[in-house]
Amino acid sequence: MSAQGVAVLLSWMSCCGSALWRYYTNSPNYHIFSTRTTIKLEYEGTSFSEWSVPATCSVKNKKSPKTELRCSSPGIHIIKPVVTGPDPEEERYLSVDSSHTCFLWYCKVGFFHNLNQVLLTIWIYDPENADPNELLQNANEPSLNSIVLSKQLASLGQSPTIHTFLKRKSYFPHGKVNGTWRISLPLVADDALKEIKGNKVAFQDCFIEDYLFLLTFPFLTIPEIPGFLPVTSPRGSQLIADWNSCFPSGVVLVADMETFQTNDSFRTWTRIRVPPNILTDDERHNVSDVNLYWSGIFFLINGIVYFRNLTAFTRLGNNENLPEGGIIGLSSRKWCWSKYKLKPNIKSHMVIWTREEIYLGYPPLRFVKIITIKKLRKILNMPAAGVLTIQDVKYTGHPLEIALLLNHCITCTTVKRLYIVIYSEVTKEWVLQDFELDVAIDSVVTSRFPYASISEVILWDKHRVYYSYHNFTVTGVLQTPTESGNLSRLAHGSVISTVFTDYYGNIIVKMENNIMFFFKIYTTDAVKLHLWTNNQTKSLFFLNASGKIYLIYVFDDGTIYPQDYPVRLETQSIASKTKEKCPFIIFHHNIMYISYVLDKGHYLSFWAQIVYPENAGLYITVESYGPDILKKESQVLYEIASGYCTKTITVTFYQTVDYEAVKDYFTLQNKNTGLLVVRVRPSEYTKMCPAAQKVFQVAVGCDFSKFIAVKGSYLRDRPSKNLRVKYDWKKYGCPLRLNFKEKFHPVLQLYSDDGYIEDVDVNFIVWEIHGRDDYSFNNTMKTSGCLNEAQTWNSMHKLNKHLPLEYAWGPENYNHCFSYAIGKPGDLNQPYEIINKSNHNHLVWPMQHTGMYVFRAKILDPNYSFCNLTAIFAIEIYGTISSPNGDLVIAFLFLLMLLFFSILVLSYFHYMRIYRQYIYAPIYKTRRIKDQEK
């Protein structure tokens, strides 16, 4: 949107509603708020007189409702407008710092045709001297000031590098054109969080702020088609929205005049409309819920689900295993987790419910009914008396769990009781939680599960917010300084519109008239925030690609305007008035990732540290939620100096399960895999603490990014004829070429997407995938130290004749031969067919002929990995006479014999002709010839 358009919209906002004032900066998300920053002040209302600012700050035009403010010294500065009339305007305590961070990275994304690779064009800009298009994040090329600044810093050694958060990969510039750097990188769905960092280079004592952003596959926005009609919520209703948890820039927003879709946080958007003659006018204007999916949008209209994609608008019902009516809600995951699908058939992307049934949605458009109220009542042993219905269904903070909010009442006249039931998509179990809440019978209660390790829930009706923390053990009503938690009374009678939560534990309660309250997770009271938006403008909170909060304004003419919201500055201002402080000085840790995968034999160790004033008695808690599959050890170090205490906790998670020689290997593996969500936090904190918790997941199971490879990279069933196999060069790569006299000892190496990890030092086996068995091993069972006969391919194939060869032997049935108690005596002079890095067991080759061998290697040690790790390698043997081909020999002999008999036949006829001429010819002819000659 142009600067002129922004000015028009802000003027429209200023003309209506209650009096208030705001402030802006050119820095996106208020990243830079320092003595160098120009702070733009704006008063909304008709009673403005002048601005009141401290002596350390200067105002460009004190009498103008829209002006600019600069503060030359850091600190907290009291700013407020002086107004005419009996009611003074509220003051703000703006915290201005003295940071040397002045410049920002600008990143323009360009997609290649295959959408699997992107080209980022990066330059440096100064928000105080930037082009308007750069400030609005829609510039295609740097401004002249930015070109000069980028070239100047580049000459001092500046260069950007892109780092990914999950896989810890780095990408560097491969070209520099006209003051910009070019970086190409792949689009990876599970590594979308990225950060641009530069070198520690200063220009005029100013550094560049690191830039955090999300980059993933874009949503395909549905185009506007002429003749299609708007689909909206009922007239006068609040905004309805949904977004993708791992791509928050992709949003669908339903207002009472249009439905909008964006994939760039509403810098651009399209209107979603539907074909005519499918819905009536009343149906088109009665959307009650919406859900955004990768391939389209789900609408809930009059209890029926409709699906809009690029090509069609479809009513969903019996054909998709959904009811033809009575649906009351749609929901999807709200927190982005990676690597949580460790077990099969866990792929639900949304949940749909009626008052008595719940359905899970799976790609592409498949739905499964998982429970009914009647069946659930029996499972939970709930009393048959009373009415039990489903109120709300949400995915919890744990990515594999779903929570049901149930209504239960006996007489159903004044009060109903709420219960919470948790459903696990892994175990398929329903568990009634230790949670009960009595509310008015007509209350419509909505739930939201914050980003946390254990089950925490925030609920709200029209007037109050309820909380339940620490796995539903602490429950209550969110309190306020007055009115006993009734937020409506503090908001001039308005009711709660929505409750917004982010990844940092911030929770904002937004009323329909745009009055807002703030609290943090695990706190039990809220404070009223400064008024930011007038009561006539419809607005909603979202997260942008950097994980920061922004507001969306929707105007009656169908225009949308996004605006950053300074939640940190606003809460600091309130804290300066209320004198509320954080009980600790600093809390930090070395937890680098939000997702860890633990394989067999691995452990996870981390530390966290808190510094606080002496005698405060704080400590660090480490809580985990999920299956009991990991052991935990912790150690706490404590020191005190200069009136401050420092506590450091070191925590280690690990497993001690032995999988060798167990009866049911796969069942034991399945029992000890799963997903835990872990939270590390101080024992106490307040609303004014910075991000005071770290939440991450630990997935115990197979890391699918891991694989093995061989360092460097005759027939078993005795067929009736020779087998000729075409070698697949593209699949297997170049074979290793060995002389027939060379023995080969394969060394396996473990890799992941990040590269080499280690040499594999555990037992593994190999077999030729085309059935050749004219190779052997140089070690025997006896020389390898066996006390009983070791397992071989022949013995294992005989025991498992019902299985294909590759499944006959593996970690699930491996037994070693180094104990008299395991196995049975036998011939120990047989080849020992098990290899590891140190046993010097080599493959040996036949002496008669050359050949090509394609082997598959498999890890045999049951305690090495949850993954079925295999690798293929090929070996070409040379140096001997090639084995003769029987067909070729027979053909050659046939041709030779044919030639021989052909010569005999031709000789016979040749000599017969001579014989007839000289033997059977008349004698007188011979004499006559002789007489004539005389």
Side-chain angles (χ1 to χ4, degrees):
M1 187 178 296
S2 65
Q4 181 179 1
V6 173
V8 171
L9 289 173
L10 292 178
S11 298
W12 190 95
M13 293 171 61
S14 302
C15 74
C16 309
S18 56
L20 56 92
W21 69 279
R22 292 180 291 264
Y23 54 95
Y24 312 99
T25 68
N26 287 337
S27 174
N29 307 123
Y30 298 83
H31 275 306
I32 302 174
F33 203 81
S34 66
T35 54
R36 192 178 180 273
T37 303
T38 299
I39 305 171
K40 299 177 182 179
L41 304 178
E42 178 187 76
Y43 179 81
E44 224 183 80
T46 58
S47 56
F48 176 79
S49 178
E50 63 179 19
W51 292 100
S52 172
V53 299
T56 54
C57 299
S58 61
V59 179
K60 187 175 182 180
N61 185 350
K62 195 174 185 179
K63 297 292 185 179
S64 173
K66 294 182 181 180
T67 188
E68 294 179 357
L69 170 74
R70 285 181 179 268
C71 294
S72 58
S73 63
I76 297 176
H77 303 285
I78 303 176
I79 312 295
K80 72 173 183 177
V82 178
V83 296
T84 59
D87 298 324
E89 191 58 68
E90 61 180 348
E91 60 188 11
R92 279 185 170 92
Y93 294 71
L94 297 185
S95 179
V96 178
D97 60 39
S98 58
S99 172
H100 287 277
T101 300
C102 312
F103 308 135
L104 299 172
W105 294 106
Y106 192 98
C107 179
K108 181 181 180 300
V109 180
F111 290 92
F112 289 100
H113 294 298
N114 58 9
L115 292 180
N116 292 322
Q117 196 88 1
V118 293
L119 176 65
L120 302 186
T121 303
I122 300 172
W123 65 85
I124 304 165
Y125 74 103
D126 180 359
E128 298 301 316
N129 298 284
D131 184 87
N133 288 328
E134 291 177 319
L135 297 178
L136 293 173
Q137 299 294 303
N138 57 16
N140 293 319
E141 59 185 18
S143 63
L144 180 60
N145 287 337
S146 298
I147 292 175
V148 173
L149 180 62
S150 297
K151 287 183 175 180
Q152 181 65 46
L153 281 162
S155 68
L156 297 174
Q158 184 59 267
S159 180
T161 303
I162 295 181
H163 303 273
T164 68
F165 265 73
L166 296 182
K167 296 186 176 181
R168 291 293 166 182
K169 292 188 176 182
S170 298
Y171 300 91
F172 302 92
H174 55 74
K176 189 173 185 295
V177 180
N178 195 28
T180 65
W181 291 269
R182 307 291 177 89
I183 301 180
S184 297
L185 67 161
L187 277 180
V188 183
D190 59 352
D191 199 19
L193 189 59
K194 297 173 173 62
E195 187 174 31
I196 301 178
K197 289 188 175 183
N199 301 323
K200 297 299 182 182
V201 176
F203 176 62
Q204 296 180 350
D205 293 330
C206 282
F207 293 90
I208 308 172
E209 173 90 358
D210 295 338
Y211 177 51
L212 184 70
F213 66 104
L214 281 170
L215 182 63
T216 185
F217 297 94
F219 276 93
L220 296 176
T221 55
I222 300 173
E224 298 182 28
I225 300 177
F228 280 24
L229 303 175
V231 56
T232 73
S233 57
R235 173 61 62 181
S237 62
Q238 293 296 299
L239 302 177
I240 307 170
D242 191 49
W243 61 93
N244 182 273
S245 60
C246 292
F247 184 50
S249 297
V251 181
V252 58
L253 176 67
V254 182
D256 60 2
M257 84 293 293
E258 290 281 1
T259 294
F260 307 91
Q261 186 185 8
T262 181
N263 59 11
D264 58 7
S265 298
F266 287 102
R267 289 204 297 269
T268 62
W269 67 86
T270 60
R271 294 175 175 86
I272 305 301
R273 296 190 171 189
V274 298
N277 304 321
I278 294 181
L279 301 174
T280 65
D281 289 344
D282 290 340
E283 289 173 333
R284 282 194 304 105
H285 300 299
N286 201 29
V287 176
S288 58
D289 209 346
V290 69
N291 188 268
L292 180 63
Y293 187 50
W294 284 104
S295 60
I297 302 170
F298 294 92
F299 291 96
L300 180 58
I301 301 174
N302 290 347
I304 300 171
V305 176
Y306 295 83
F307 184 66
R308 176 76 165 94
N309 60 15
L310 290 172
T311 59
F313 181 68
T314 308
R315 172 174 171 160
L316 305 183
N318 292 334
N319 292 336
E320 293 76 21
N321 197 33
L322 284 176
E324 294 287 348
I327 297 174
I328 60 174
L330 318 172
S331 185
S332 58
R333 290 180 177 86
K334 294 301 176 224
W335 306 115
C336 182
W337 291 108
S338 64
K339 299 182 179 179
Y340 63 86
K341 297 178 181 179
L342 294 175
K343 299 183 179 182
N345 302 323
I346 304 174
K347 301 176 182 178
S348 73
H349 62 84
M350 69 180 299
V351 58
I352 296 176
W353 68 97
T354 68
R355 295 193 180 278
E356 297 185 346
E357 297 172 336
I358 297 178
Y359 299 80
L360 291 184
Y362 300 88
L365 282 176
R366 183 174 64 91
F367 297 90
V368 176
K369 181 166 64 175
I370 59 171
I371 200 69
T372 64
I373 278 293
K374 184 178 180 181
K375 185 177 180 180
L376 185 62
R377 192 192 289 263
K378 292 181 180 179
I379 293 174
L380 301 178
N381 293 320
M382 298 185 73
V387 178
L388 185 66
T389 59
I390 300 171
Q391 172 69 45
D392 195 20
V393 183
K394 292 290 191 300
Y395 287 92
T396 71
H398 192 289
L400 299 178
E401 290 186 347
I402 300 171
L404 281 66
L405 186 64
L406 302 179
N407 292 322
H408 182 260
C409 59
I410 304 297
T411 59
C412 301
T413 55
T414 56
V415 176
K416 63 181 178 182
R417 179 161 293 180
L418 302 180
Y419 297 96
I420 289 180
V421 178
I422 300 292
Y423 171 71
S424 170
E425 289 196 75
V426 180
T427 64
K428 313 298 182 184
E429 294 179 347
W430 301 86
V431 180
L432 181 64
Q433 303 300 310
D434 187 18
F435 171 89
E436 295 182 0
L437 181 66
D438 292 334
V439 296
I441 191 65
D442 59 348
S443 294
V444 178
V445 179
T446 307
S447 61
R448 176 68 54 84
F449 285 80
Y451 185 67
S453 64
I454 60 178
S455 292
E456 331 278 356
V457 64
I458 304 298
L459 308 104
W460 67 94
D461 54 22
K462 288 184 177 182
H463 311 294
R464 287 183 170 84
V465 174
Y466 310 90
Y467 60 83
S468 187
Y469 300 147
H470 307 297
N471 207 19
F472 306 113
T473 59
V474 178
T475 302
V477 179
L478 186 70
Q479 294 299 306
T480 51
T482 59
E483 304 298 344
S484 301
N486 190 320
L487 302 183
S488 293
R489 294 176 183 173
L490 296 173
H492 313 301
S494 183
V495 299
I496 297 174
S497 170
T498 187
V499 175
F500 179 82
T501 61
D502 67 5
Y503 285 93
Y504 305 102
N506 298 313
I507 305 176
I508 300 175
V509 184
K510 194 188 81 68
M511 312 300 285
E512 288 189 356
N513 64 356
N514 291 321
I515 290 177
M516 296 180 288
F517 299 86
F518 175 82
F519 67 106
K520 272 187 178 287
I521 187 173
Y522 306 116
T523 60
T524 59
D525 63 304
V527 293
K528 187 177 180 180
L529 293 173
H530 300 298
L531 193 60
W532 187 265
T533 306
N534 67 64
N535 56 18
Q536 300 297 315
T537 304
K538 292 183 179 179
S539 63
L540 207 59
F541 280 107
F542 294 99
L543 290 177
N544 62 19
S546 299
K548 302 298 183 180
I549 295 175
Y550 73 99
L551 275 164
I552 281 296
Y553 301 120
V554 179
F555 301 102
D556 291 339
D557 61 354
T559 306
I560 293 181
Y561 171 57
Q563 184 185 73
D564 295 334
Y565 180 72
V567 61
R568 179 182 62 87
L569 293 171
E570 290 294 270
T571 55
Q572 286 178 347
S573 175
I574 297 296
S576 298
K577 295 176 64 175
T578 61
K579 308 302 181 183
E580 183 176 355
K581 295 182 179 180
C582 185
F584 55 85
I585 307 300
I586 190 171
F587 169 73
H588 62 124
H589 49 77
N590 71 335
I591 304 168
M592 303 291 292
Y593 303 96
I594 63 171
S595 179
Y596 293 86
V597 179
L598 289 189
D599 210 336
K600 294 176 182 176
H602 293 187
Y603 65 90
L604 172 64
S605 184
F606 61 88
W607 58 262
Q609 186 177 80
I610 185 172
V611 180
Y612 57 91
E614 188 178 0
N615 299 323
L618 302 183
Y619 55 91
I620 297 173
T621 65
V622 179
E623 302 157 322
S624 62
Y625 179 73
D628 186 17
I629 55 178
L630 287 178
K631 295 183 180 297
K632 182 178 75 172
E633 290 184 356
S634 59
Q635 181 182 11
V636 178
L637 299 178
Y638 175 82
E639 59 182 90
I640 183 170
S642 302
Y644 292 95
C645 298
T646 301
K647 282 184 180 178
T648 305
I649 184 172
T650 303
V651 180
T652 302
F653 287 103
Y654 62 95
Q655 272 193 344
T656 58
V657 182
D658 186 2
Y659 295 91
E660 187 171 345
V662 296
K663 292 183 178 180
D664 196 334
Y665 173 82
F666 294 111
T667 299
L668 184 62
Q669 270 203 151
N670 190 66
K671 181 181 177 181
N672 288 281
T673 57
L675 184 70
L676 287 82
V677 182
V678 181
R679 177 185 61 194
V680 183
R681 65 174 182 89
S683 57
E684 296 179 17
Y685 64 89
T686 66
K687 298 182 291 298
M688 301 308 143
C689 292
Q693 65 171 356
K694 176 63 179 180
V695 179
F696 60 97
Q697 68 177 17
V698 181
V700 182
C702 174
D703 184 350
F704 296 107
S705 69
K706 290 183 178 180
F707 61 94
I708 58 173
V710 174
K711 187 177 182 180
S713 216
Y714 256 49
L715 299 178
R716 191 172 302 275
D717 295 327
R718 303 287 182 231
S720 58
K721 59 180 181 179
N722 290 333
L723 177 65
R724 177 171 294 183
V725 176
K726 183 178 179 181
Y727 182 76
D728 193 334
W729 292 87
K730 291 183 179 180
K731 183 175 182 181
Y732 304 133
C734 294
L736 299 171
R737 298 190 76 244
L738 299 176
N739 189 279
F740 74 98
K741 296 179 181 179
E742 294 182 75
K743 298 181 293 185
F744 178 66
H745 178 70
V747 176
L748 297 185
Q749 294 180 321
L750 182 66
Y751 292 84
S752 71
D753 291 343
D754 298 326
Y756 170 81
I757 299 176
E758 64 182 6
D759 283 358
V760 177
D761 56 5
V762 299
N763 291 338
F764 62 92
I765 51 177
V766 299
W767 71 98
E768 213 282 333
I769 65 174
H770 297 124
R772 298 188 68 159
D773 67 349
D774 56 342
Y775 61 91
S776 188
F777 301 84
N778 68 316
N779 283 2
T780 65
M781 298 177 187
K782 185 175 182 179
T783 58
S784 298
C786 289
L787 300 176
N788 277 325
E789 183 177 330
Q791 293 173 323
T792 64
W793 275 111
N794 285 334
S795 64
M796 298 307 294
H797 189 47
K798 289 178 181 179
L799 290 174
N800 301 282
K801 291 183 178 179
H802 60 290
L803 296 175
L805 180 66
E806 59 186 290
Y807 298 110
W809 193 10
E812 67 275 11
N813 55 15
Y814 167 68
N815 290 314
H816 66 77
C817 62
F818 306 110
S819 172
Y820 288 113
I822 299 176
K824 59 183 179 180
D827 181 9
L828 301 185
N829 292 318
Q830 300 178 68
Y832 185 65
E833 299 184 3
I834 300 173
I835 308 173
N836 61 46
K837 184 180 179 182
S838 60
N839 70 354
H840 303 292
N841 198 11
H842 292 70
L843 293 168
V844 294
W845 318 106
M847 306 291 288
Q848 299 84 7
H849 53 79
T850 63
M852 178 74 77
Y853 297 82
V854 182
F855 288 99
R856 186 184 295 273
K858 178 198 286 188
I859 299 294
L860 193 60
D861 192 319
N863 288 315
Y864 185 71
S865 177
F866 289 104
C867 303
N868 180 29
L869 295 173
T870 64
I872 286 183
F873 63 100
I875 296 177
E876 181 183 2
I877 303 301
Y878 67 92
T880 61
I881 300 174
S882 299
S883 176
N885 188 301
D887 293 339
L888 184 61
V889 171
I890 293 173
F892 178 75
L893 290 175
F894 175 77
L895 291 174
L896 188 63
M897 292 299 293
L898 182 62
L899 179 62
F900 176 73
F901 282 110
S902 298
I903 293 173
L904 284 178
V905 172
L906 291 174
S907 299
Y908 170 77
F909 286 107
H910 178 70
Y911 284 105
M912 281 297 294
R913 186 166 60 86
I914 296 174
Y915 181 79
R916 284 200 310 267
Q917 182 177 356
Y918 290 100
I919 301 300
Y920 295 103
I923 296 177
Y924 71 90
K925 288 184 178 181
T926 305
R927 288 178 178 177
R928 185 180 298 173
I929 293 172
K930 289 181 178 181
D931 292 341
Q932 290 176 355
E933 290 177 351
K934 290 179 179 182

